[in-house]
Amino acid sequence: MTLPDLPYSEPVRLHQLGSGVKRTLEPDASTRARIVRALDLASLEAFTAEMELVPTAAGWRLSGRIRASLAQTCGITLEPLPIEIDAPFALTLAESVEEDSEEIIITLDDESPDLIENGQIDLGQYAVEQLALRLDPFPRKPGAEFVQPPEPAEISPFAVLKQLRASDEG
């Protein structure tokens, strides 16, 4: 099984981080075009992610702010709907531990950390994820309303025969 290509990738290896790292990510036009396709946006004029990754007692803390100027497609009018996003975020990360047990533990805790695999954290992937979390799943322009079209009257097979008979007699 092959994994789909990520629209934006900026990996950092944990062993190179030391006391932490600060990065400002600004994807170029071709990368923004891939993000547009991946998130089904109308456009993405600007996207910046300020990120800080610092070690904690339990793993790592990734925090920062995303800013974006984009347009989603209105689900009713199909017109571009301009949106400005400026939002902080914070999440915890922990290295996955190899256990000899085959027991699977599932927790429903919202505060459970994301697992770090292969000793690296992809800052680009987290930036796109934070952007996706702030998108409206049902974008709609103000005032746009869906109007249900009238249901067609049921056509009786006898009515069709009656029309055919009337046209034959004419």
Side-chain angles (χ1 to χ4, degrees):
M1 176 173 91
T2 61
L3 294 175
D5 288 336
L6 298 173
Y8 186 39
S9 183
E10 288 287 336
V12 292
R13 305 236 14 113
L14 291 180
H15 70 275
Q16 297 172 332
L17 293 178
S19 63
V21 67
K22 282 186 179 185
R23 294 250 174 99
T24 298
L25 307 180
E26 293 186 64
D28 61 19
S30 65
T31 303
R32 288 194 316 270
R34 286 194 307 273
I35 295 170
V36 164
R37 285 190 300 278
L39 299 181
D40 195 24
L41 301 173
S43 66
L44 179 59
E45 292 82 34
F47 180 37
T48 303
E50 296 169 3
M51 307 180 104
E52 182 176 19
L53 183 64
V54 294
T56 64
W60 296 87
R61 177 178 165 82
L62 178 62
S63 61
R65 177 173 294 279
I66 60 165
R67 292 180 177 89
S69 294
L70 58 98
Q72 286 187 275
T73 303
C74 174
I76 296 174
T77 66
L78 301 180
E79 296 172 6
L81 179 61
I83 299 169
E84 293 292 323
I85 295 175
D86 184 354
F89 67 91
L91 50 113
T92 57
L93 306 162
E95 292 187 73
S96 58
V97 260
E98 296 293 325
E99 293 184 19
D100 294 334
S101 169
E102 291 187 23
E103 182 178 335
I104 298 174
I105 301 170
I106 299 174
T107 62
L108 300 177
D109 183 11
D110 285 341
E111 297 300 317
S112 61
D114 281 6
L115 294 180
I116 300 169
E117 295 181 3
N118 301 324
Q120 71 180 15
I121 298 170
D122 193 330
L123 297 179
Q125 182 178 345
Y126 278 107
V128 172
E129 177 182 281
Q130 291 302 313
L131 177 63
L133 289 172
R134 278 138 184 98
L135 296 176
D136 186 344
F138 305 104
R140 182 166 43 177
K141 282 192 158 194
E145 289 187 36
F146 178 73
V147 178
Q148 178 72 32
E151 292 290 326
E154 189 172 323
I155 300 174
S156 161
F158 298 108
V160 172
L161 289 174
K162 187 175 182 181
Q163 284 178 336
L164 287 174
R165 185 173 180 194
S167 64
D168 285 344
E169 291 175 357

